[in-house]
Amino acid sequence: MENIQTSRRDFLKTTGLTSFGLALGISAFSKDAVVKKLNPAILKLEINPFIIIDTAGNITIVNPRPDMGQGSTQAVPSLLAEELEVRLDQVKIIQSDGKDKYGSQTSGGSSSVRSLWEPIRKAGAAAKEMLTESAAKRWNVPVAECFAKDGTIVHKPSGKSLTYGELADDASKLEIPKNPKLKDPKDFKILGKYNKRLDVPERVTGKAVYGIDVDIPGMVYASILHSPAIHGKIISIDDTETKKVKGVLKVVKTERTMPHRTSEAVAVIGTNYWAALKGRKALQVKWDNADYEKTLSTEKYFAETYEAAKKQGINYEEKGDFDAKYSSAVKKLESHYETPFLAHAPIEPENAVVHVKDDGTIEIWAPVQGPDWALRDVCAYMKVAPEKVKINVTLLGGAFGRKAYHDFLLEACHLSKELKKPVKVVWTREDDISQGPYRPGMLSHMQGFVQDGKIAGYHHHAIGESILGQVFKGLKPDEADPWLSEEISTSNNKYIFDVASKISYTHVKTDIPIVWWRSVYASNFGWGQECFIDELAHLAEKDPVKARLEIIKDERFRKVLETLAEKAAWGEKLAEGQGKGIAVFKSFDSISATCVTVTKKGNGVKIDKVISIIDCGYYVNPDNVKAQTEGNIVMGITAATKDGITFTNGVCDQSNFHQYNIMRLNEMPEIEIHIVDSGSSPGGVGEPGLPPIAPALGNAIFAATGKRMRKLPFDINNLNG
Amino acid sequence: MAIYNLTVNSKKVKVDVEDDMPLLWVVRDVVGLKGTKFGCGMALCGACTVHLDGQPARSCQTPISSVGKNAKITTIEGIGDVKLHAIQQAWIEEQVPQCGYCQSGQIMSAVALLKTNANPNDQDIDAAMSGNLCRCGTYDRIRKAIHRAAEAIKVEEKGIGKR
Ligand code: FES
Ligand code: FES
């Protein structure tokens, strides 16, 4: 009991709460969101329940989704505030630390609102009912005469009220309602409404704390030289010049651990980051890259994918006998669509502060997308139990998938253990761009045919490296990668091909490290799928919108396409040299469609306008849905028209933003975003806007110039290049 | 190592650092102001933008020895420390930041633009802001927020004129 009391006091102190009142947890592993009361006796040493209403009326929620710019710091408290009948500014949030009891905690797969929509609202509703019942008991009046408002329970007939704080202790003694009544969406005051994000002010004053901003007393800085060929071996290290740099403390041989292998590296430790970096630049390291000069090559990789396209892949689904129907078809087409490897390049480079303490415990401050996964990886790597690790998740200066890959964090763990000091590792932009992991480059081999003026046959053969295979559990030789196959399947794209269709996959391996990137494979395969449907529409001599509507029955898809056609004034006369293209793609349970308008300019085109439509079901904040979709337009255009990542003779050809360009403000076209309110269960918002961007642009270019782009990226100013 | 007497956000600070240490790291790791960000280290992204005597400068490519003795250094912490600057206010109104990491640099560039050009058109904004990358893609809102801030300043000045 003693322990519990002390740790309770510590917890209360750090969170600024006065005393426990009502604490509710959501059973992390149950699908149907069981709300549980957290009784202090079961709150072990570290007390971090999900929702706490203390006796002073402070309301705190643990946010299980780190914020990397997608808006979870607003979305999570909004779900609670809506049902609890409090204002957004009444809810304080604490970031979860990765421990099991919080369940899944990774910001990824556009999952935050999708997965928390029910459970958090349920906990909020349960708390509200318990508080209401407590008030009714106190006043000895029927519950029906009481209602909740802004953190108080009001007795309607008399007008008297009690605050949540005054009721919290009483409420904690009640049974949790099994089926708390959730609000009817038409009564929502916060969800689905415009609300300013409350943490914007700290992001415009320099006060927001990102991983890179963390300083710990006694901390040293590390800059790490990695093998230019990623997996190369060290032959020799000459640190004579490095040691002359003022502020350099030490040079240590270290390692970079990736899911698929561990590579050698050399760390320069300094009293400040600049010294460490300067020392690192002065290092003379000889690498044995012999094994990788031939294998780490994007040219070789793509050559293999085109070879694979000549053969049969592994079927994921097939309807009709596609090959037979295709070979006898009269009006048919075959094309190859290629997408490059891409770096995530979040503007905050990878970084972490780790302190491996004398007592064997480890404290971490890092911008990680998933504290739960980070914890798992750190425990496995350091061979420690989760209780010994404390992860403080900071804000993330962008991530896009990169910061769910913990090589940089494990580097800091390794160094801190070695040096017995807190260590801050900061990657340079060059590390970020030239070391990976990357979105894998992929090839879409497309075949299709037209019958009776209608698109009737379709085959998408996806070819390339598998994230599941390289980063996760591996892929069997006879397995069509289920993650990527699902994204291009007809159950996802909802196209109905009357005669025959086939989705197949061929695994082409590479040692280039890969991981998911914003919208994952949808960012690759939206390109092949939607440009090829456009090609087939032209083969059928049909308008691309009409041709799609002919083969889609799904109401939500139709509505999205029709809304797009209307907003884009599809079919209206275009100016000389102008062309419009559309594309639609469903990912993370949301459907997004885009229309791009371009005008011929010299050998290239200029993007005049981008209109995106998104149906993401219920959402928290329409402005955030728009913001994320805007971001997807920019990232989508960048991915299509700026630089890809290439490897030649084992080495990445790009190093910084002069070779890996990102769209700039002066290139920003006019944009317009519309949300279709379908009232469906919530879909993702952070990613689904991206996949249709590149194909809509490619289709617009075809409409304007007659030139069919099939390989990304291309130079928008010179399409012949 | 050498001693430099700097004026950062109107405060005098004395630092003892290597001559070639970029202003970025002096400000962040020696002075301890973390609002100025590291993005590329090559003057390509603008995350590290500060003002040197009111002019925007990429602090990652500014060795401390090149900063004049009497130069006034302003960082994001020195903008609107009493009352939010019209640019910051407009950034909130337009809900510009996503992750927010690039925004210190964006705001420093925008504040400098409005100082020399109270009424920027889209081309002026293009010219002043294209050195600042935003990977989250907030460009459309940045443009709108600059126009909004310029308007707000005009209205405020008119108000003052009347009084
Ligand atoms: S960090 Fe200075 S311009 Fe990028
Ligand atoms: S807001 Fe994230 S990089 Fe600009």
Side-chain angles (χ1 to χ4, degrees), chain A residues 197 210 213 278 344 663, chain B residues 20 37 95 97 99 135 139:
Chain A
R197 279 171 285 133
Y210 301 87
D213 302 327
K278 207 169 134 188
H344 308 71
M663 194 177 144
Chain B
D20 60 353
K37 301 300 192 214
Q95 295 280 288
C99 81
R135 185 59 159 160
Y139 299 131

Side-chain angles (χ1 to χ4, degrees), chain A residues 207-222 270-274 348 351-355 363-367 392 394 421-426, chain B residues 21 24-37 77:
Chain A
K207 294 197 181 100
V209 178
Y210 301 87
I212 204 170
D213 302 327
V214 173
D215 275 354
I216 298 303
M219 176 181 97
V220 292
Y221 294 78
T271 55
N272 64 76
Y273 181 63
W274 171 245
E348 177 197 28
N351 66 83
V353 175
V354 174
H355 190 189
E363 186 156 11
I364 292 168
W365 296 260
N392 305 283
T394 62
K421 277 193 176 85
V423 177
K424 180 178 197 164
V425 166
V426 180
Chain B
M21 191 187 231
L24 169 65
W25 300 111
V26 174
V27 164
R28 281 182 58 86
D29 291 347
V30 185
V31 183
L33 296 172
K34 304 285 191 190
T36 306
K37 301 300 192 214
E77 290 89 348

